[in-house]
Amino acid sequence: YTSWPSMDKNAPMIVCIFGGLSWAENLRAMESRSVNLRPIVVRNIRGDGDENSCHILLVGENAKGRWEEIQNTIRNKPI
């Protein structure tokens, strides 16, 4: 189990996909669900700062060359 810092209880739980995943579209089914009454939103990101809004970040194989850069960006964030 995971918990995140306090947030607006109506704010969505944002699941981000970076670098493409072959099964990413399967995650869209989660958008009809919620976590602690918060709706789930699945978003594709480019890694140009838009990862800062993510609560969960999934990094695809073709983005591993940018992994160090992304790690540095999210290091102190509740992702």
Side-chain angles (χ1 to χ4, degrees):
Y1 294 95
T2 301
S3 62
W4 280 264
S6 297
M7 299 170 54
D8 177 355
K9 65 180 180 179
N10 296 316
M13 176 65 66
I14 302 174
V15 178
C16 296
I17 302 167
F18 177 67
L21 296 169
S22 59
W23 44 272
E25 285 307 310
N26 296 334
L27 294 173
R28 298 274 174 214
M30 290 182 0
E31 291 187 307
S32 63
R33 298 184 179 178
S34 63
V35 174
N36 295 327
L37 303 176
R38 296 173 56 198
I40 297 173
V41 173
V42 178
R43 186 182 288 171
N44 290 310
I45 63 167
R46 296 178 306 277
D48 57 1
D50 51 357
E51 64 277 357
N52 292 319
S53 65
C54 303
H55 299 110
I56 298 172
L57 176 61
L58 303 170
V59 180
E61 180 71 24
N62 60 354
K64 68 180 182 180
R66 292 187 59 196
W67 177 237
E68 187 173 331
E69 171 191 345
I70 293 168
Q71 261 187 312
N72 289 332
T73 302
I74 65 171
R75 184 171 317 266
N76 295 312
K77 300 200 170 43
I79 299 176

